[in-house]
Amino acid sequence: MAQEQSPTTSVFVDENLLLLQLHFHSTNCNCDFNLCLKTAIIEGDVVGGTCVNCGCVPSKALLAVSGRMRQLQNDQHMKSLGLQVAAAGYDRQGVADHAKNLATKIRNNLTNSLKSLGVDILSGVGTVVGPQKVKYGKVGGSETLITAKDIIIATGLVPFVPKGVEVDGKTVITSDHALKLETVPEWIVIVGSGYIGLEFSDVYTALGSEVTFVEALDQLMPGFDPEIGIDYHTGVFATKITPAKDDKPVTIELIDAKTKEPKDTLEVDAALIATGRAPYTEGLGLENVNVETQRGFIPVDERMRVIDSKGELVPHLYCIGDANGKMMLAHAASAQGISV
């Protein structure tokens, strides 16, 4: 292992395949790990990706709890089964631990699988510095330069927070925070009525919260039943959301989505920003290989090869999964990994 002479670099390593990740997803195990290539993963957070840590796994664990709660609260259904159930209750921390423990178990299994395959897991934030070269390291610390025959970017998505929204992680939260279930507010506004917002509305209402939706479109979740039995404001934008502070509630300023005129101001206990997710592609050093993102996504061809600003292929650089915007589904990322 030779030393690279650079003030921002500590060592120089040769790898056959390097995966640059924010969250490593289990489906990406299909890339080349079983092809006898020396493989390393640069992981900026924890192994498992969105699905395992802040998506499908913990959210469905919470939905399982809300489903059981609704069954127990349905006296008529219980009686039809010949069951007598006292008033249903729950332990908030116990529910939160249920979701966390499931995600942890799967994440640990994935980590062990990678190690058994001989994959090196390198902790730190990765940046492309040139053709076949990436540096990584902790923020503010020393950095390591790695060269690789091929580099795959698979950094996934992060919650999208619109302008004017101040997230404090306590009273104004994203889905990443909500999955921890640190509180069950008496009244929470959910901004956005896509699948993320609807899933959390099911969880919160089952646990006793009053939920109000704020949606820019004229209907909640277009294409579905408009009568969902829940409070909502449609056709409005939340232009400013201020967290609770000094005994003051969360304030949400609404304007008409078409006229942009002030419409209403809500004062609630909490707000969940469920306005979708955005590609995590900033700060990856794409400018060092002359790559420009399109709406945040990295342009690729049908073989997942990255395309630069001149329309030419960047040699030995690929992008799979959510970061390329082709199809933001776990099994799609898996198929793309295999194709590479």
Side-chain angles (χ1 to χ4, degrees), residues 1 24 31 51 53 57-59 64 69 95-96 136 151 167 177 182 192 206 210 220 256:
M1 188 175 294
F24 175 78
C31 290
C51 265
N53 297 294
V57 172
S59 67
M69 276 294 292
V95 175
Y136 80 97
I151 297 171
V167 174
H177 302 115
E182 293 182 344
E210 179 182 350
L220 297 182
D256 188 282

Side-chain angles (χ1 to χ4, degrees), residues 133-154:
K133 290 189 177 184
V134 171
K135 66 179 180 180
Y136 80 97
K138 301 294 184 181
V139 177
S142 61
E143 295 178 313
T144 301
L145 181 67
I146 293 181
T147 61
K149 179 181 178 181
D150 296 296
I151 297 171
I152 300 175
I153 297 174

Side-chain angles (χ1 to χ4, degrees), residues 49-99:
T50 296
C51 265
V52 172
N53 297 294
C54 48
C56 307
V57 172
S59 67
K60 299 310 179 287
L62 293 179
L63 284 172
V65 172
S66 66
R68 294 293 178 87
M69 276 294 292
R70 294 188 189 283
Q71 288 182 338
L72 294 173
Q73 292 167 344
N74 189 333
D75 292 337
Q76 185 175 354
H77 177 62
M78 290 293 103
K79 288 179 180 179
S80 70
L81 297 174
L83 300 176
Q84 296 179 352
V85 180
Y90 67 91
D91 171 26
R92 180 200 58 78
Q93 189 58 55
V95 175
D97 288 344
H98 165 64

Side-chain angles (χ1 to χ4, degrees), residues 159-175:
F160 171 72
V161 178
K163 293 181 180 179
V165 176
E166 182 182 345
V167 174
D168 67 350
K170 298 183 181 298
T171 59
V172 179
I173 60 177
T174 67
S175 58

Side-chain angles (χ1 to χ4, degrees), residues 15-328:
E15 300 285 353
N16 292 116
L17 179 71
L18 180 71
L19 266 73
L20 180 62
Q21 307 260 190
L22 169 66
H23 300 292
F24 175 78
H25 195 285
S26 59
T27 56
N28 296 337
C29 285
N30 290 308
C31 290
D32 279 302
F33 302 162
N34 291 315
L35 299 181
C36 299
L37 299 181
K38 182 173 175 55
T39 305
I41 294 171
I42 296 177
E43 177 53 70
D45 193 359
V46 290
V47 169
T50 296
C51 265
V52 172
N53 297 294
C54 48
C56 307
V57 172
S59 67
K60 299 310 179 287
L62 293 179
L63 284 172
V65 172
S66 66
R68 294 293 178 87
M69 276 294 292
R70 294 188 189 283
Q71 288 182 338
L72 294 173
Q73 292 167 344
N74 189 333
D75 292 337
Q76 185 175 354
H77 177 62
M78 290 293 103
K79 288 179 180 179
S80 70
L81 297 174
L83 300 176
Q84 296 179 352
V85 180
Y90 67 91
D91 171 26
R92 180 200 58 78
Q93 189 58 55
V95 175
D97 288 344
H98 165 64
K100 177 183 177 181
N101 292 339
L102 181 60
T104 299
K105 180 180 179 180
I106 295 176
R107 181 170 63 249
N108 289 341
N109 289 341
L110 289 173
T111 302
N112 291 334
S113 295
L114 290 174
K115 291 180 179 179
S116 69
L117 290 169
V119 177
D120 295 325
I121 301 176
L122 311 175
S123 297
V125 177
T127 306
V128 177
V129 295
Q132 298 177 285
K133 290 189 177 184
V134 171
K135 66 179 180 180
Y136 80 97
K138 301 294 184 181
V139 177
S142 61
E143 295 178 313
T144 301
L145 181 67
I146 293 181
T147 61
K149 179 181 178 181
D150 296 296
I151 297 171
I152 300 175
I153 297 174
T155 45
L157 302 171
V158 292
F160 171 72
V161 178
K163 293 181 180 179
V165 176
E166 182 182 345
V167 174
D168 67 350
K170 298 183 181 298
T171 59
V172 179
I173 60 177
T174 67
S175 58
D176 286 1
H177 302 115
L179 288 168
K180 299 176 182 178
L181 202 69
E182 293 182 344
T183 62
V184 179
E186 289 189 23
W187 184 11
I188 183 169
V189 161
I190 298 179
V191 181
S193 67
Y195 68 91
I196 296 175
L198 290 175
E199 286 187 353
F200 277 107
S201 73
D202 186 83
V203 172
Y204 281 121
T205 53
L207 299 182
S209 296
E210 179 182 350
V211 171
T212 297
F213 273 109
V214 168
E215 171 58 55
L217 299 178
D218 294 331
Q219 179 185 325
L220 297 182
M221 199 65 175
F224 288 77
D225 188 348
E227 298 300 327
I228 63 172
I230 202 166
D231 185 39
Y232 59 86
H233 296 262
T234 54
V236 294
F237 285 124
T239 56
K240 186 177 182 180
I241 300 180
T242 306
K245 188 178 182 180
D246 299 328
D247 296 325
K248 295 181 180 180
V250 174
T251 58
I252 303 173
E253 298 179 15
L254 304 179
I255 65 170
D256 188 282
K258 296 178 180 178
T259 67
K260 304 300 186 290
E261 294 181 356
K263 194 79 176 284
D264 201 356
T265 299
L266 305 178
E267 295 185 347
V268 296
D269 298 305
L272 167 60
I273 312 306
T275 47
R277 298 179 70 85
Y280 183 84
T281 53
E282 291 187 10
L284 296 183
L286 297 174
E287 67 279 3
N288 295 326
V289 285
N290 196 32
V291 172
E292 296 180 358
T293 60
Q294 299 174 358
R295 295 181 297 109
F297 296 103
I298 297 174
V300 297
D301 68 359
E302 69 280 356
R303 293 178 57 187
M304 307 304 126
R305 295 177 295 185
V306 174
I307 301 171
D308 68 15
S309 59
K310 296 180 179 179
E312 299 177 354
L313 296 176
V314 180
H316 306 285
L317 183 62
Y318 302 82
C319 178
I320 65 174
D322 299 334
N324 66 32
K326 281 187 171 293
M327 188 173 293
M328 291 175 281

